[in-house]
Amino acid sequence: ALSLRNVIKRYGHGPKANQVIHGVSAEIADHEFIVIVGPSGCGKSTLLRMVAGLEEISAGEISIGKRVVNNLEPSERDIAMVFQNYALYPHMSVFKNMAYGLKIAKVPVPEIKVRVDKAAKILELGHLLERKPRELSGGQRQRVAMGRAIVRQPQVFLFDEPLSNLDAKLRAQTRIEIQKLHRELGITSLFVTHDQVEAMTLAQRIIVMNAGVMDQFATPEEVYNRPATTFVASFIGSPP
Ligand code: ATP
Ligand code: MG
């Protein structure tokens, strides 16, 4: 499980501090796929970065599994993050890109091979393992970035608009890939997107953020049919 309890974020200190997350609470069950939507600047990335440990929280509590992670380093949190600008190592093969984090974590070599091969199979990258990133299409590179996250076998996956650099067709394909991945591995996921279709098709529940406040946290059907605020109604595009 992943819990946020009254999480607050301020950037800066003293009178110039700018509060951007105003007490967000959410209980996310194991294996749930949660999509976070909301306008630019509403705090989606900040929220993910706090869960990842890339950004300190100003108040409140975040726990992953049974552990409060507030004071844990990103590497200690059992999470993996897939960004929009998935920087792969250009000089390394696909295999090495996927294996790198495990090597750093001192996972034994035979175990690395097993995990990378399994991820490559799921992502249909098996025939590309010896290629360099520049010899791949955008969608294939995105799949390598996901592979790099999968092999870590994290408790929680964090996706920050991972598909926004892809064209419409690739987005749709990769979306299906992500659904398949979630069915097979069942990793608890937080997925940020601007795309309503992506949100509606991927989410088991949706968090609608509005200026640092969680306006609604509910199933896609509920959000669509019974928007909690006029903001949600206008943002999701259903009648108020
Ligand atoms: P987008 O959809 O454009 O990616 P977002 O919802 O991810 O937006 P955040 O990046 O979380 O938004 O930003 C939330 C607010 O916090 C914004 O007002 C932003 O200007 C501010 N902010 C983000 N990072 C910092 C920072 N490092 N220092 C100060 N303010 C920041
Ligand atoms: Mg963002």
Side-chain angles (χ1 to χ4, degrees):
L2 167 63
S3 324
L4 308 180
R5 290 182 211 96
N6 210 9
V7 171
I8 287 172
K9 177 66 184 177
R10 277 177 232 107
Y11 283 112
H13 296 282
K16 282 195 179 153
N18 179 21
Q19 186 164 319
V20 300
I21 301 287
H22 307 280
V24 164
S25 298
E27 293 291 327
I28 295 158
D30 285 338
H31 313 303
E32 255 195 307
F33 200 106
I34 306 295
V35 175
I36 304 176
V37 297
S40 182
C42 71
K44 305 179 296 295
S45 296
T46 299
L47 210 55
L48 277 203
R49 292 171 58 79
M50 289 192 292
V51 174
L54 299 171
E55 204 67 73
E56 264 185 28
I57 74 176
S58 307
E61 197 173 82
I62 298 179
S63 53
I64 296 174
K66 290 187 171 65
R67 297 187 305 166
V68 174
V69 298
N70 285 24
N71 297 316
L72 296 184
E73 293 294 316
S75 61
E76 299 169 323
R77 293 190 179 203
D78 207 11
I79 50 103
M81 193 153 178
V82 184
F83 298 89
Q84 172 178 352
N85 298 314
Y86 39 92
L88 301 174
Y89 300 107
H91 57 288
M92 289 186 197
S93 68
V94 167
F95 182 93
K96 286 193 171 146
N97 264 283
M98 283 172 40
Y100 187 70
L102 299 181
K103 219 172 113 185
I104 298 295
K106 299 202 164 57
V107 174
V109 171
E111 170 71 13
I112 292 180
K113 174 126 180 50
V114 168
R115 290 204 209 169
V116 171
D117 283 342
K118 185 171 165 220
K121 190 154 173 256
I122 294 172
L123 293 165
E124 291 168 33
L125 290 169
H127 58 301
L128 301 172
L129 288 173
E130 295 315 314
R131 296 247 190 119
K132 296 280 169 59
R134 65 167 182 281
E135 300 162 332
L136 302 176
S137 72
Q140 289 166 341
R141 273 183 222 149
Q142 179 57 51
R143 299 214 300 278
V144 176
M146 282 198 280
R148 210 166 44 174
I150 294 174
V151 295
R152 313 226 339 247
Q153 305 179 340
Q155 229 185 108
V156 176
F157 256 156
L158 305 171
F159 298 93
D160 198 351
E161 309 208 38
L163 310 184
S164 55
N165 284 338
L166 305 179
D167 68 31
K169 184 154 167 265
L170 264 180
R171 279 181 88 104
Q173 280 173 5
T174 313
R175 199 164 70 219
I176 290 166
E177 208 74 52
I178 289 173
Q179 279 177 314
K180 196 174 110 194
L181 202 69
H182 187 251
R183 265 200 308 276
E184 290 188 32
L185 304 176
I187 297 172
T188 310
S189 301
L190 277 183
F191 186 101
V192 170
T193 181
H194 270 105
D195 185 318
Q196 307 287 353
V197 178
E198 230 160 76
M200 289 297 182
T201 53
L202 286 172
Q204 290 171 326
R205 289 195 289 165
I206 293 184
I207 291 174
V208 185
M209 293 287 297
N210 174 19
V213 173
M214 199 173 77
D215 264 24
Q216 192 164 11
F217 182 22
T219 63
E221 293 74 19
E222 248 179 289
V223 168
Y224 191 79
N225 294 321
R226 288 188 296 281
T229 63
T230 53
F231 170 81
V232 174
S234 64
F235 190 77
I236 299 293
S238 55

